[in-house]
């Protein structure tokens, strides 16, 4: 089988919204995070990576805030907000470095 396009990295951003508003979910925050990652990556040239930013359903970490997972590294980040996006792009997506402060070990 020949794949037309292979990706160097996949970034999964949870955009799951729970029906019950009393239960935490990533929902709209995840949607905004994904949009911002896509926008910023499109403005960066020269990183030499073929990256796919995927919408994800529930990653089962709702209580830890909006979640992002980066593969193939297997970096899991929680309670991500828009101010974290530049660091995630530079350090993890492009630089392959794990950001400890965004892990569930708080």
């Amino acid at each position: 089988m020949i794949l037309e396009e292979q990706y160097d990295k996949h970034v999964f951003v949870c955009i799951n919204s729970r029906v019950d508003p009393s239960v935490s979910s990533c929902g709209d925050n995840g949607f905004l995070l994904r949009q911002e990652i896509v926008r910023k990556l499109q403005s960066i040239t020269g990183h030499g990576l073929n990256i796919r930013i995927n919408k994800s359903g529930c990653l089962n970490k709702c209580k830890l805030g909006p979640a992002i997972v980066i593969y193939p590294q297997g970096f899991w980040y929680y309670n991500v907000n828009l101010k974290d996006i530049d660091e995630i792009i530079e350090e993890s997506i492009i630089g392959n470095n794990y950001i400890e402060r965004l892990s569930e070990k708080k």
Side-chain angles (χ1 to χ4, degrees), residues 31-96:
F31 181 79
L32 292 174
L33 293 171
R34 183 182 176 279
Q35 278 186 318
E36 187 67 0
I37 293 170
V38 168
R39 186 186 71 75
K40 288 192 175 201
L41 279 175
Q42 287 174 339
S43 70
I44 297 172
T45 59
H47 56 71
L49 296 171
N50 191 9
I51 303 166
R52 174 72 181 161
I53 311 302
N54 299 287
K55 295 179 224 171
S56 172
C58 186
L59 294 169
N60 203 26
K61 297 289 183 178
C62 304
K63 293 178 183 172
L64 299 174
I68 292 177
V69 184
I70 302 170
Y71 284 110
Q73 291 78 7
F75 297 157
W76 283 71
Y77 296 135
Y78 310 102
N79 201 29
V80 176
N81 60 57
L82 289 172
K83 69 180 176 67
D84 299 318
I85 297 304
D86 286 335
E87 184 178 11
I88 290 171
I89 289 171
E90 291 172 27
E91 290 295 318
S92 294
I93 296 174
I94 295 172
N96 294 319

